[in-house]
C-alpha cells in the first residue's frame, strides 16, 4: 500500500460515528497506523474561516462561484455552529472545501503516504455536468478525504413513496407520522447506524486512493455507489461485505 498512516479528524456534533471504533476497524482491515485528531475546523485563522464561508453555493444550477460573505456567515464558521438541520442549511462546493482543507493540514502530514480523512457535518456538494446542477455527496475522495455525516443522511434518496406521501400531506403532524411509517428505511440524524455506514465510505476512499478505481458495480459490495438509502443500508449494514474481486485486492494489501 502507498498509505502508511491514516489520520481521522473528528466531527464532535456527531458522536455516533465513533472514531475509536473506526480506528479499530481500519487497523484490523489494513494493519496500518491510525490516528484520531480533533475537529479540523476549530481554531483556524479568520482568513480561512472567510474562505470557507465564501465557497457556499448560492445557486445549485450554476457551476462554482465564490459566495459574497457576510459577517454572520463567517461567524457561523468560526463558532462551528451546526447548520446541518436548518430548513435551508448552507451547501459547500466539495472540491473547493478540499482545497482549503489541504492548505490547513500541516506540510509534514500533507504527504502521499498519509491519508487525511476529515469528518464534517457540512453538506459537501459537487456540480454534475450531466444535469447541470449541484448534488450533495457523502464522500469527496482523493487526499484529503471529506466524509459528510449530513451527506450520508441527505445524499442517497429515500423511498419514492416517502416523497409521494410528503407531497400529498403538508401538515407538520402528517410529516411526523410519515417519518414514523418509514422508520428504519433510511438514516436519520443521530442514527446509531452511522458508524457502520462510515466504515463503508472509508473503505471506498482508501480503495480509490490505492487503486484509482472509483466504486463497484456490484450492489452487494461495500464499494457500491449507493444512490438510494435502501442500497446504502443493504451494502453497508445488511450485507456488509466486499465482492470477490475487491476482497482479493484487499487480501493482497494485507500480504504486502
Amino acid at each position: 500500500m502507498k498509505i502508511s498512516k491514516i489520520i481521522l479528524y473528528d466531527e464532535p456534533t456527531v458522536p455516533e460515528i465513533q472514531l475509536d471504533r473506526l480506528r479499530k476497524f481500519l487497523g484490523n482491515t489494513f494493519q496500518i497506523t491510525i490516528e484520531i485528531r480533533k475537529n479540523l475546523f476549530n481554531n483556524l485563522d479568520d482568513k480561512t474561516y472567510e474562505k470557507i464561508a465564501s465557497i457556499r453555493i448560492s445557486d445549485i444550477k450554476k457551476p462554482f462561484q465564490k459566495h459574497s460573505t457576510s459577517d454572520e456567515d463567517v461567524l457561523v464558521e468560526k463558532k462551528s455552529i451546526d447548520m446541518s438541520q436548518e430548513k435551508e442549511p448552507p451547501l459547500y462546493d466539495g472540491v473547493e472545501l478540499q482545497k482549503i482543507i489541504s492548505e490547513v493540514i500541516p506540510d509534514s502530514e500533507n504527504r502521499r503516504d498519509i491519508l487525511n480523512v476529515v469528518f464534517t457535518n457540512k453538506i459537501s456538494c459537487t456540480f454534475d455536468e450531466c444535469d447541470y446542477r449541484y448534488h450533495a455527496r457523502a464522500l469527496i475522495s482523493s487526499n484529503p478525504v471529506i466524509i459528510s455525516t449530513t451527506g450520508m443522511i441527505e445524499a442517497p434518496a429515500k423511498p419514492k413513496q416517502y416523497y409521494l406521501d410528503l407531497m400529498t400531506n403538508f401538515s407538520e403532524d402528517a410529516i411526523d407520522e410519515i417519518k414514523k411509517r418509514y422508520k428504519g428505511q433510511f438514516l436519520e440524524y443521530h442514527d446509531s447506524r452511522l458508524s457502520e455506514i462510515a466504515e463503508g465510505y472509508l473503505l471506498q476512499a482508501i480503495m480509490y486512493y490505492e487503486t484509482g478505481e472509483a466504486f463497484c458495480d456490484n450492489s452487494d459490495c461495500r464499494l457500491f455507489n449507493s444512490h438510494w438509502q435502501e442500497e446504502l443500508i443493504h451494502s453497508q449494514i445488511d450485507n456488509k461485505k466486499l465482492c470477490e474481486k475487491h476482497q482479493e485486492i484487499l487480501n493482497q494489501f494485507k500480504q504486502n
Side-chain angles (χ1 to χ4, degrees):
M1 291 183 68
K2 57 187 176 188
I3 302 172
S4 62
K5 179 179 179 180
I6 298 174
I7 300 175
L8 303 175
Y9 287 90
D10 193 15
E11 174 46 78
T13 65
V14 190
E16 291 80 11
I17 56 176
Q18 301 179 48
L19 289 196
D20 284 332
R21 174 176 167 168
L22 293 177
R23 173 167 55 187
K24 186 177 180 182
F25 168 75
L26 290 177
N28 291 338
T29 305
F30 294 99
Q31 297 167 353
I32 57 177
T33 303
I34 313 294
E35 185 177 336
I36 292 176
R37 297 277 178 86
K38 293 181 179 178
N39 186 359
L40 181 110
F41 299 103
N42 280 343
N43 301 315
L44 302 175
D45 58 54
D46 289 353
K47 188 176 179 182
T48 303
Y49 286 123
E50 186 174 353
K51 278 185 184 178
I52 295 172
S54 75
I55 62 166
R56 292 184 182 184
I57 299 164
S58 54
D59 186 341
I60 64 168
K61 294 183 179 178
K62 290 183 178 177
F64 174 67
Q65 296 175 316
K66 277 196 175 181
H67 173 74
S68 296
T69 60
S70 66
D71 291 342
E72 185 180 351
D73 291 339
V74 178
L75 189 62
V76 165
E77 301 302 339
K78 195 169 183 176
K79 290 191 172 183
S80 291
I81 297 173
D82 182 6
M83 301 286 285
S84 60
Q85 296 178 63
E86 297 293 319
K87 284 189 176 178
E88 293 185 9
L91 309 176
Y92 300 82
D93 185 288
V95 175
E96 295 297 322
L97 183 59
Q98 202 171 41
K99 290 177 186 173
I100 295 170
I101 291 171
S102 185
E103 293 171 0
V104 170
I105 290 172
D107 290 342
S108 60
E109 295 172 347
N110 213 342
R111 299 177 356 204
R112 189 168 176 267
D113 66 322
I114 298 178
L115 186 67
N116 295 277
V117 180
V118 178
F119 285 93
T120 178
N121 57 29
K122 300 181 192 302
I123 306 178
S124 54
C125 304
T126 60
F127 192 78
D128 193 331
E129 297 285 349
C130 294
D131 59 2
Y132 226 64
R133 58 172 291 170
Y134 272 99
H135 292 271
R137 308 293 185 192
L139 173 66
I140 307 291
S141 283
S142 193
N143 189 11
V145 174
I146 301 172
I147 298 181
S148 169
T149 53
T150 310
M152 294 182 199
I153 297 160
E154 302 293 350
K158 297 175 177 63
K160 286 181 182 176
Q161 189 60 46
Y162 169 81
Y163 294 113
L164 289 172
D165 288 353
L166 283 181
M167 289 169 63
T168 52
N169 295 274
F170 296 105
S171 70
E172 289 291 330
D173 290 343
I175 291 172
D176 289 341
E177 178 58 35
I178 292 167
K179 284 185 176 178
K180 285 180 184 175
R181 194 182 308 159
Y182 290 90
K183 191 169 182 61
Q185 296 184 39
F186 51 79
L187 297 174
E188 299 180 76
Y189 289 95
H190 298 296
D191 197 302
S192 62
R193 298 171 291 182
L194 285 173
S195 193
E196 286 179 278
I197 299 291
E199 288 179 6
Y201 283 116
L202 282 168
L203 282 175
Q204 291 176 8
I206 294 166
M207 296 294 270
Y208 173 70
Y209 190 67
E210 288 288 340
T211 67
E213 182 181 336
F215 305 118
C216 177
D217 293 334
N218 187 341
S219 60
D220 288 332
C221 179
R222 294 195 93 179
L223 305 189
F224 183 69
N225 185 19
S226 302
H227 291 90
W228 294 87
Q229 288 280 334
E230 181 183 8
E231 295 171 334
L232 183 68
I233 290 170
H234 170 72
S235 60
Q236 305 303 335
I237 293 177
D238 297 338
N239 192 54
K240 209 174 180 177
K241 296 177 183 174
L242 292 175
C243 66
E244 189 175 334
K245 172 190 168 184
H246 287 107
Q247 184 61 53
E248 179 59 30
I249 293 173
L250 178 60
N251 292 342
Q252 290 172 9
F253 287 158
K254 289 180 178 178
Q255 291 170 7
N256 295 330

